Amino acid sequence: MKEPQHDTPVDATPPISVDKVLAAELEKLSLKEREKVYEDVHGVSDVIQETPEMIASCLEQMDHEIDLIQDRDAYEKAKLQSCNFVTNNKFRLAFLRSTLFNPKMAASHLVHYFTHKLEVLGTENLAKRITLDDLDEATRRVLELGSMQVLPNRDSIGRAVFVSTPSFIEPAMAAYNDPIPRMAKAYWYLISTLIEDEETQKKGFIVVSNVTGLSDRYQKCHRKLAMRLLALGTYQPLRLGCLHYYSSNANSLFGAMLLSVLASATRAVIRVRIRTHYGSHTEWLYKLMSFGIPIQEFPFTENGGIELANHVKWLEKRRKKEAYLSRNPPIEGAVDLPSNHDVLWGRGKQIFRHLGNRLLHELVEAYDNQYNQRSKDGKTKVADQIVAVIHGYSGRFMKFDDECGMWVEVSNSEAREKVTHRFRRNRAVIGLKEGSTRFNEPIVVRSSKETDGGGKRSRMMFKGS
């Protein structure tokens, strides 16, 4: 299928300054368009308010636009394999959301999506949801390297965060004569998992890539891979907010060359969303924070390594989810990646730092005096009030279901119990602080939920001497 013509690429030979490319592209935009780009890049953009009428109208227009496209062989082949998959309104709605409800553009992206899917995954996977079992063993090994990962938390406005470390794909480059097809499959799978999430469809995603440490030996392969993944990403039903690239060495010839290729090869709508960062690891992380990007769970280490703990957990969750869905219908409202306003069950720093849990903590602090002065029935009403506030932010109270590998929403009664537990815990912490100021002795806190060998485990807290 013939690709539509992109904007005229900037000549990248000799290497040119990415900043100059970006400045030139931004100059071509109207003031309104530049403001939109700025909002997307800095994580302050709004989400389109969808209505059933608007969705129905756009889907109808999209069908009409598809019929006008002459060259749609892969699309028609997929339709013959599974008409229900191809014409599913939820699937098509993802393309409308990614194009800000532009039916003509959504139709074009849908048709090209199947063209690329046929090239990457073959006829047998053209009209189905891709799972880990659909990938060959070599592609799964590439995926397990962790050079491409999805973070377990969202950015400040709720977008998914996709991170990559191209240098860690080099073992695959050394192992295979032509590694790019396997890397393309791994990339397609990762992006497909993001498409499954409705909030990510609505708000989009961002990419953060650490291009430090790339080997000159694989320069040609890195260049081809970057071009291939950019082409594949163009027609995925996900809206890109920003591409952040980092290199520790601003004078790196290869880094400058690679970034110039990226800037010149993509469409203008992508080029104006590229941001480059140089300097120390710490400087880079602080810079990303200014864009509303969470850095606490970043897999990049200061010495150039990569953490795999979250990625291994993510892969295990995917296996559980795919196994569950192969035997059961989808669970209504279950998600892979909770929203920023969701309150999560669990322990550990990741749960404690989640924005929804922090919101609950602040609400409990604000209502604490009122709660403590109420009767039992009055306390229940206060807890219900806080549950309503969380729901008012479109937040949910969610538990991780180990069987299906997803977060599922709990009942209102369980949500209320979560709030009352938070009040009890808050009161206990206040009591500990007050007691520790009066006595220079250990304070023993017992929890029936913390057991050791069947008995209660005690934790001892001391006032500092």
Side-chain angles (χ1 to χ4, degrees):
M1 180 175 181
K2 186 178 179 181
E3 302 278 345
Q5 294 298 311
H6 289 192
D7 305 299
T8 304
V10 181
D11 183 11
T13 308
I16 54 178
S17 165
V18 176
D19 292 335
K20 288 182 179 179
V21 172
L22 297 176
E25 293 296 340
L26 285 169
E27 283 296 321
K28 299 175 185 177
L29 303 180
S30 67
L31 179 60
K32 186 177 181 179
E33 290 171 328
R34 284 200 295 269
E35 287 178 352
K36 176 58 180 170
V37 170
Y38 180 86
E39 289 172 353
D40 285 346
V41 167
H42 287 272
V44 294
S45 55
D46 294 325
V47 176
I48 290 178
Q49 298 303 309
E50 301 174 5
T51 65
E53 296 76 17
M54 178 187 74
I55 291 173
S57 174
C58 287
L59 285 171
E60 185 178 349
Q61 293 177 57
M62 184 178 173
D63 283 339
H64 174 68
E65 293 294 343
I66 291 173
D67 291 338
L68 296 178
I69 298 174
Q70 297 296 317
D71 191 2
R72 54 176 196 266
D73 293 347
Y75 169 84
E76 293 296 341
K77 183 178 289 188
K79 199 172 177 181
L80 285 173
Q81 288 184 14
S82 176
C83 186
N84 288 338
F85 179 86
V86 176
T87 61
N88 181 278
N89 281 342
K90 285 188 176 181
F91 175 63
R92 295 192 171 201
L93 181 55
F95 288 88
L96 285 170
R97 286 169 172 158
S98 69
T99 58
L100 299 179
F101 285 86
N102 182 323
K104 184 174 182 177
M105 187 181 295
S108 175
H109 282 202
L110 176 64
V111 170
H112 282 90
Y113 168 88
F114 281 108
T115 300
H116 284 298
K117 190 174 183 181
L118 180 62
E119 293 172 359
V120 174
L121 295 168
T123 304
E124 65 277 11
N125 295 314
L126 186 58
K128 61 173 291 190
R129 184 176 63 87
I130 303 304
T131 68
L132 286 167
D133 288 340
D134 295 318
L135 305 177
D136 58 87
E137 186 178 347
T139 299
R140 287 197 293 270
R141 283 203 209 101
V142 169
L143 197 60
E144 290 165 0
L145 288 172
S147 63
M148 296 180 288
Q149 300 184 29
V150 177
L151 290 194
N153 44 13
R154 300 176 183 271
D155 77 350
S156 59
I157 63 168
R159 298 178 294 192
V161 183
F162 182 98
V163 299
S164 71
T165 315
S167 62
F168 279 81
I169 207 73
E170 290 179 355
M173 292 179 175
Y176 306 113
N177 291 330
D178 187 9
I180 291 179
R182 294 177 176 89
M183 296 172 194
K185 287 181 184 178
Y187 172 79
W188 191 285
Y189 175 78
L190 281 163
I191 293 297
S192 295
T193 67
L194 294 179
I195 297 168
E196 295 173 10
D197 183 75
E198 184 176 317
E199 182 166 2
T200 303
Q201 290 179 18
K202 291 178 178 180
K203 296 184 177 180
F205 77 121
I206 59 172
V207 176
V208 180
S209 185
N210 183 353
V211 297
T212 299
L214 297 176
S215 170
D216 289 341
R217 177 183 177 185
Y218 302 107
Q219 183 176 142
K220 184 177 180 180
C221 192
H222 278 301
R223 183 172 180 170
K224 287 175 64 178
L225 178 62
M227 302 290 283
R228 180 63 170 146
L229 298 189
L230 285 167
L232 293 179
T234 300
Y235 302 108
Q236 294 289 342
L238 281 178
R239 187 159 55 93
L240 179 67
C242 188
L243 271 161
H244 292 272
Y245 289 98
Y246 165 71
S247 174
S248 61
N249 184 3
N251 297 317
S252 167
L253 178 62
F254 177 58
M257 181 276 297
L258 178 61
L259 292 173
S260 296
V261 168
L262 292 170
S264 62
T266 56
R267 297 178 304 151
V269 69
I270 303 299
R271 285 202 295 270
V272 294
R273 284 169 169 78
I274 290 176
R275 294 296 180 271
T276 57
H277 310 281
Y278 300 101
S280 71
H281 182 83
T282 301
E283 289 172 334
W284 173 48
L285 293 183
Y286 275 110
K287 187 67 175 178
L288 290 178
M289 287 174 64
S290 71
F291 288 89
I293 300 173
I295 64 169
Q296 294 89 348
E297 307 301 331
F298 260 36
F300 312 122
T301 64
E302 193 166 0
N303 63 0
I306 188 170
E307 295 285 351
L308 293 176
N310 282 329
H311 186 59
V312 170
K313 290 179 184 177
W314 181 85
L315 285 171
E316 183 59 30
K317 290 177 182 177
R318 290 298 308 177
R319 291 188 184 96
K320 289 179 178 179
K321 176 181 178 178
E322 291 167 6
Y324 180 87
L325 292 178
S326 69
R327 305 184 305 267
N328 304 282
I331 300 175
E332 184 67 28
V335 297
D336 297 323
L337 194 60
S339 78
N340 286 343
H341 291 129
D342 291 337
V343 175
L344 310 181
W345 262 248
R347 296 182 181 181
K349 290 182 180 179
Q350 190 172 312
I351 297 295
F352 178 78
R353 286 194 295 250
H354 186 74
L355 292 177
N357 290 54
R358 286 162 57 185
L359 173 61
L360 174 61
H361 177 74
E362 291 174 3
L363 288 170
V364 167
E365 290 276 358
Y367 282 83
D368 189 64
N369 287 336
Q370 184 182 150
Y371 181 86
N372 290 328
Q373 293 169 8
R374 296 291 183 91
S375 63
K376 184 177 180 180
D377 288 343
K379 285 180 168 63
T380 299
K381 290 181 180 179
V382 172
D384 283 335
Q385 194 173 349
I386 290 179
V387 170
V389 171
I390 296 293
H391 287 163
Y393 280 104
S394 298
R396 298 157 295 183
F397 289 78
M398 309 197 82
K399 280 184 178 179
F400 183 76
D401 188 315
D402 198 56
E403 182 185 2
C404 70
M406 292 178 282
W407 291 90
V408 297
E409 188 171 7
V410 304
S411 65
N412 281 343
S413 61
E414 288 180 281
R416 182 171 60 246
E417 176 55 32
K418 174 75 171 178
V419 175
T420 56
H421 173 75
R422 183 70 241 186
F423 273 115
R424 290 195 298 270
R425 178 170 178 152
N426 193 56
R427 191 163 61 248
V429 170
I430 292 173
L432 285 172
K433 289 180 179 178
E434 291 175 349
S436 66
T437 61
R438 294 195 300 268
F439 304 102
N440 187 12
E441 60 184 24
I443 302 169
V444 180
V445 182
R446 299 185 185 277
S447 170
S448 60
K449 293 183 179 180
E450 296 178 331
T451 61
D452 184 9
K456 292 183 178 180
R457 183 176 65 193
S458 299
R459 292 180 293 138
M460 304 191 74
M461 301 179 66
F462 292 83
K463 177 187 176 183
S465 56

